[in-house]
Amino acid sequence: MKKFTKKNWNDWKYLADKELEKNKKKKKLEWQSPDGIVFKSLYTEEDLNNLEHLNSFPGFPPFLRGPKATMYKGKPWTIRQYAGFSTAEESNKFYKDCLKNGQKGLSIAFDLPTHRGYDSDHPRVVGDVGKAGVAIDSVEDMKVLFNGIPLNKMSVSMTMNGAVLPILASYIVAGEEQGVELKYLSGTIQNDILKEFLVRNTYIYPPRDSLKIISDIISYTSRKMPKFNSISISGYHMQEAGATEVQELAFTIADGIEYIKAALDKGLHVDSFAPRLSFFFGIGMNFFTEIAKLRAARFLWALKVKELFNPKDNKSLILRTHCQTSGVSLTEKDAYNNVIRTTVEAMAAVLGGTQSLHTNSFDEAVALPTENSSRIARNTQLILQHETNICDVIDPLAGSYFIESLTNAMIVNSGNLIDKIIKLGGMTKAIEKGYPNELIEKSALIKQAEIDSGKRVIVGVNKFLNSNEKDFEILKINNSKVIKSQLARINKIKKDRNTSQLKKTLKNLKNAALNNDGNLLELSVKAVRARATVGEISSTLEDVFGRFEAKPKISKNVYSESFDEKNKISDLKSSIKDFKDKIGRAPKIFVCKLGQDGHDRGAKVVASSFADLGFEVELSKLFLTPEELFSQAKSSNADVVGISSHAAGHLTLVPKFMDLVNDNNEKFLVICGGVIPKEDYSLLKEKGISEVFGPGTNLLDAIYKVFNMIKYGKKSNI
């Protein structure tokens, strides 16, 4: 082999350039992402020319290479698995087992009624209690949740936004009653309401009133809880809803800017709270882009905070982040492939420099994780920490032609999007105008079309199918047992508490909300001490602020335009047009969700794709009861009612709806789709569901099937 020397370098480069030029004629060597990032097949040192961020050093502004100088060499990232299992007792047992087996911090998943500020005895939530997390109705539940877990020693992360006041107040009082002073409580409350209005929808109050709550929490914690992170600014749910990495990064930073402004309006100085702000990003399968995203995030946050708020303390410029591997990348089909997907995503998070990490379990495409799948997910991180030597070198991909170029592209493209949000008046005004929502929904439709047309390969789903797939155990929650347990504790609290003291604390809370006078968290803590429930505190504030209700919207022409195989689209469109010409109207589908689950990505993608192909589509508002859905379904005159399920509502709410349909002898077809395990299909069909479309369903195939169900007379009034 010819020995490399500086002298012959130019000869080698000349030959390489000739080879590249020849290959350009054979194959496209450059392509552009939907965000405008140009990718190349080969990167060289020329791609590093004029990149300003290359002089970054870990532990120093702008912190691109990491918030700490020693990073994982000093201390590995925290293994923080997100979990909550129906009752406080079951969750407590699970947390203790995890801590014994290497987990270093707790991350609490609450059930949907708790998120939406309802107690477990509220008639609207009977089908949701304990289904997708732990039910917390009062401080007594919170005390059981942390029984035997010393809150002065354990960092606790709580994913809570809508009902953030009663939940954080209950945590504080539970700590007090353990004998823990406020200054020793450590952890994070998510408290990121703007992303709820963008994608996740577990909001309660309107945006501006919600920002008042956030600023009060930041004020209270900055004064009294120096070890506690008052907010975790989340991009994770944006990516899960379909956002690109550029969009996720830009909108998350823009949310953070909005929260700083809200705190400053409260009279706080930026350095009094900004060092305790934290972030939360999703990590998907776009391996190198995810690494670059985290590096760019630290740079952009430092840049924007310095530029807009000019803090004196460099700690105010540090972006510290938790990461979670993607849920939307998990597949029901050939589900053990998810172990590999999660491992790849975990490596991207670590190489990008996360401070803590949750790794999803392989079975979470269809249910909450079992004890066995949770162990595999946790051990994924332990193996990375202890068997790979990955912690030994700080920012190991620094200097890579590709990584540094891609980091710069993320900085530029996300930075431009942040500037657009600022010009619109900030994130609250941008959300009110629907700008970021529209971009995310469009991205979700493009991704779905690419998967359905095979342009984007998902192993085991649209290519390399497994013909010998085996079933796996999934976790089942006994909803009626959970409700019984919760009601018993609620009734005991209401019986034992001092009613006059309770009324006084709730009246003070209401007056503070009415008059914008007093700290709402401080007053919520007093109400919790008097044994006010989550629902009572939430409804007291609802009397003042109201309960926010979003207007459903359908995006058009994105799915069909992004679908590669245009002939398939054209054939189906033509058939639907023939039906319309013959019958005198288009086939109609009414797309809806039941219960308190706000994840509406699936419903919106379904509604938009059906509309693109020629269906008349009606999309319901969120949070319907079975009775409300039945009334709306009747008046819609739809051929098909399509129910999207994400959080096990198909086992409780859908059967109730079908009882109403059958008892009233209604003839419309009902289909279900979403996160539904195969073993539940037979139960749904016994109740009269015509078809079930599980995770990974090809939407074009589903539209064909539904159209043929209508076309060939399976609806009696056609």
Side-chain angles (χ1 to χ4, degrees):
M1 181 177 175
K2 189 175 181 181
K3 186 178 178 182
F4 171 78
T5 64
K6 286 278 186 183
K7 188 176 180 181
N8 61 31
W9 165 250
N10 288 332
D11 294 338
W12 285 22
K13 190 173 185 305
Y14 170 74
L15 293 172
D17 287 342
K18 278 189 70 175
E19 189 67 22
L20 269 176
E21 196 60 39
K22 187 169 69 176
N23 286 335
K24 279 182 183 178
K25 297 173 183 177
K26 296 179 182 178
K27 192 173 182 180
K28 190 176 181 183
L29 294 180
E30 290 188 2
W31 63 96
Q32 187 169 305
S33 75
D35 289 307
I37 295 178
V38 176
F39 288 86
K40 303 192 298 182
S41 292
L42 179 67
Y43 288 78
T44 68
E45 63 181 338
E46 292 174 359
D47 293 290
L48 303 186
N49 290 343
N50 303 317
L51 298 189
E52 293 181 11
H53 73 262
L54 291 180
N55 294 324
S56 298
F57 200 80
F60 294 88
F63 303 102
L64 181 141
R65 299 190 62 191
K68 292 186 176 181
T70 55
M71 286 303 287
Y72 306 142
K73 188 65 178 171
K75 179 187 175 185
W77 67 92
T78 300
I79 299 172
R80 191 186 295 277
Q81 293 297 92
Y82 174 62
F85 291 92
S86 60
T87 65
E89 290 87 350
E90 288 184 43
S91 298
N92 176 263
K93 180 181 179 299
F94 179 81
Y95 298 152
K96 286 177 176 175
D97 289 343
C98 288
L99 294 171
K100 285 178 186 175
N101 287 286
Q103 188 167 311
K104 299 299 183 184
L106 297 180
S107 185
I108 315 301
F110 298 96
D111 74 350
L112 293 168
T114 305
H115 274 287
R116 296 268 294 145
Y118 293 114
D119 288 334
S120 298
D121 59 357
H122 197 286
R124 292 197 71 86
V125 303
V126 64
D128 291 306
V129 176
K131 280 290 187 182
V134 60
I136 298 292
D137 294 316
S138 72
V139 66
E140 294 300 330
D141 289 330
M142 195 70 81
K143 286 167 67 178
V144 173
L145 189 68
F146 296 117
N147 181 39
I149 299 173
L151 292 179
N152 60 331
K153 297 179 180 178
M154 182 55 58
S155 172
V156 177
S157 173
M158 293 176 283
T159 300
M160 179 53 62
N161 302 282
V164 63
L165 286 172
I167 289 298
L168 183 52
S170 296
Y171 166 75
I172 288 169
V173 175
E176 282 179 0
E177 297 185 10
Q178 269 193 13
V180 180
E181 293 181 56
L182 275 172
K183 63 183 179 181
Y184 295 120
L185 291 175
S186 67
T188 304
I189 188 80
Q190 190 165 95
N191 194 25
D192 177 6
I193 202 65
L194 289 176
K195 69 98 173 45
E196 299 294 330
F197 296 108
L198 260 178
V199 289
R200 192 164 173 255
N201 301 314
T202 49
Y203 41 68
I204 302 177
Y205 317 111
R208 295 190 183 279
D209 300 309
S210 299
L211 281 174
K212 150 75 175 162
I213 291 170
I214 286 171
S215 62
D216 278 6
I217 290 170
I218 292 173
S219 174
Y220 182 95
T221 55
S222 65
R223 287 185 288 112
K224 299 188 177 187
M225 301 169 70
K227 297 174 71 177
F228 199 81
N229 300 320
S230 56
I231 193 166
S232 175
I233 305 152
S234 173
Y236 178 86
H237 304 92
M238 299 179 202
Q239 186 176 133
E240 293 291 280
T244 65
E245 292 84 4
V246 165
Q247 290 167 357
E248 178 196 5
L249 174 51
F251 297 153
T252 306
I253 298 293
D255 280 351
I257 291 169
E258 195 82 341
Y259 294 136
I260 289 182
K261 287 180 179 176
L264 295 179
D265 289 343
K266 192 77 178 174
L268 299 176
H269 187 275
V270 64
D271 289 328
S272 71
F273 64 89
R276 298 309 304 170
L277 301 180
S278 66
F279 288 79
F280 174 27
F281 287 104
I283 304 294
M285 288 296 288
N286 201 344
F287 184 73
F288 293 108
T289 303
E290 294 291 5
I291 296 167
K293 180 182 77 181
L294 295 184
R295 300 174 88 244
R298 291 188 288 270
F299 183 93
L300 277 170
W301 180 247
L303 180 73
K304 291 298 180 184
V305 171
K306 184 72 175 174
E307 179 184 292
L308 296 171
F309 308 110
N310 195 28
K312 306 304 178 190
D313 186 350
N314 280 341
K315 290 180 181 178
S316 296
L317 305 177
I318 298 175
L319 183 148
R320 296 168 299 111
T321 190
H322 172 71
C323 288
Q324 180 173 338
T325 60
S326 174
V328 78
S329 72
L330 303 177
T331 65
E332 178 198 34
K333 295 177 181 177
D334 218 358
Y336 289 105
N337 288 340
N338 295 332
V339 177
I340 294 97
R341 292 186 179 103
T342 295
T343 303
V344 169
E345 291 166 350
M347 288 181 68
V350 171
L351 291 171
T354 190
Q355 277 59 73
S356 65
L357 179 62
H358 166 95
T359 33
N360 285 331
S361 301
F362 74 85
D363 50 0
E364 287 186 75
V366 290
L368 288 173
T370 62
E371 185 176 339
N372 180 54
S373 66
S374 295
R375 183 174 178 274
I376 294 170
R378 182 177 62 250
N379 285 356
T380 300
Q381 294 196 54
L382 290 170
I383 289 166
L384 288 177
Q385 284 189 353
H386 296 284
E387 297 187 26
T388 64
N389 297 329
I390 209 167
C391 298
D392 289 347
V393 177
I394 301 161
D395 193 19
L397 295 183
S400 156
Y401 300 146
F402 178 38
I403 287 295
E404 298 295 9
S405 179
L406 187 52
T407 299
N408 183 68
M410 293 294 294
I411 290 169
V412 171
N413 285 270
S414 292
N416 289 340
L417 194 46
I418 293 166
D419 290 341
K420 285 183 183 178
I421 297 293
I422 292 172
K423 284 179 183 177
L424 287 171
M427 202 57 172
T428 303
K429 288 185 178 178
I431 289 170
E432 289 171 350
K433 293 173 183 176
Y435 174 67
N437 314 60
E438 186 179 327
L439 291 183
I440 291 172
E441 287 164 20
K442 182 177 179 181
S443 296
L445 285 163
I446 290 171
K447 287 179 184 176
Q448 189 63 50
E450 288 178 348
I451 292 169
D452 289 348
S453 62
K455 182 179 180 181
R456 186 185 293 234
V457 173
I458 309 294
V459 174
V461 174
N462 62 3
K463 201 169 184 180
F464 312 113
L465 306 184
N466 182 357
S467 57
N468 298 307
E469 194 174 345
K470 300 289 190 296
D471 291 336
F472 54 88
E473 175 195 3
I474 65 168
L475 185 69
K476 292 285 188 181
I477 301 294
N478 186 335
N479 177 252
S480 58
K481 184 180 176 183
V482 179
I483 292 175
K484 185 178 179 181
S485 167
Q486 292 304 117
L487 293 187
R489 197 141 48 216
I490 290 173
N491 291 335
K492 187 176 187 310
I493 287 169
K494 291 183 176 180
K495 180 183 175 184
D496 295 346
R497 67 193 180 183
N498 183 321
T499 306
S500 61
Q501 181 65 23
L502 171 77
K503 287 180 178 178
K504 180 182 176 182
T505 60
L506 291 177
K507 183 180 178 182
N508 290 341
L509 179 64
K510 185 173 184 177
N511 287 338
L514 273 169
N515 302 318
N516 195 24
D517 179 27
N519 187 288
L520 296 180
L521 177 56
E522 193 152 14
L523 292 164
S524 295
V525 169
K526 291 177 180 178
V528 167
R529 287 184 187 131
R531 276 3 190 210
T533 67
V534 169
E536 288 168 337
I537 291 173
S538 298
S539 63
T540 296
L541 294 171
E542 186 182 339
D543 289 343
V544 179
F545 299 144
R547 189 171 277 268
F548 182 79
E549 192 172 282
K551 294 178 182 177
K553 183 183 175 184
I554 298 172
S555 301
K556 292 187 177 178
N557 300 322
V558 179
Y559 180 83
S560 56
E561 287 177 4
S562 304
F563 200 97
D564 257 15
E565 299 175 88
K566 302 296 184 189
N567 59 317
K568 289 184 178 180
I569 292 280
S570 299
D571 288 346
L572 186 48
K573 275 186 173 181
S574 179
S575 297
I576 293 171
K577 184 179 182 302
D578 290 344
F579 175 94
K580 183 178 179 180
D581 292 342
K582 182 178 179 182
I583 304 299
R585 63 170 180 83
K588 182 175 181 181
I589 183 169
F590 180 59
V591 180
C592 55
K593 288 186 68 70
L594 279 169
Q596 297 305 306
D597 173 38
H599 292 89
D600 62 351
R601 174 185 184 269
K604 284 183 173 178
V605 167
V606 167
S608 298
S609 59
F610 270 81
D612 270 13
L613 274 294
F615 270 70
E616 181 184 350
V617 179
E618 187 176 342
L619 180 61
S620 80
K621 65 179 185 179
L622 293 169
F623 314 122
L624 296 177
T625 64
E627 293 78 13
E628 289 167 341
L629 173 57
F630 179 70
S631 175
Q632 291 187 28
K634 279 201 325 182
S635 63
S636 75
N637 293 315
D639 299 302
V640 178
V641 174
I643 303 174
S644 173
S645 178
H646 185 87
H650 66 278
L651 291 174
T652 51
L653 301 171
V654 172
K656 285 191 174 185
F657 171 72
M658 291 308 300
D659 286 342
L660 292 169
V661 172
N662 297 328
D663 291 347
N664 289 274
N665 200 30
E666 290 294 332
K667 301 300 181 185
F668 46 72
L669 299 170
V670 183
I671 60 173
C672 278
V675 182
I676 303 174
K678 288 177 184 174
E679 63 188 65
D680 294 341
Y681 288 14
S682 57
L683 181 149
L684 292 173
K685 291 192 174 182
E686 284 170 13
K687 297 298 289 185
I689 298 295
S690 297
E691 191 61 63
V692 182
F693 299 99
T697 294
N698 183 297
L699 275 181
L700 194 64
D701 292 345
I703 297 169
Y704 265 111
K705 187 172 280 190
V706 172
F707 175 62
N708 285 329
M709 287 164 61
I710 299 170
K711 180 180 177 182
Y712 293 114
K714 293 190 178 181
K715 179 170 164 48
S716 63
N717 63 349
I718 290 182

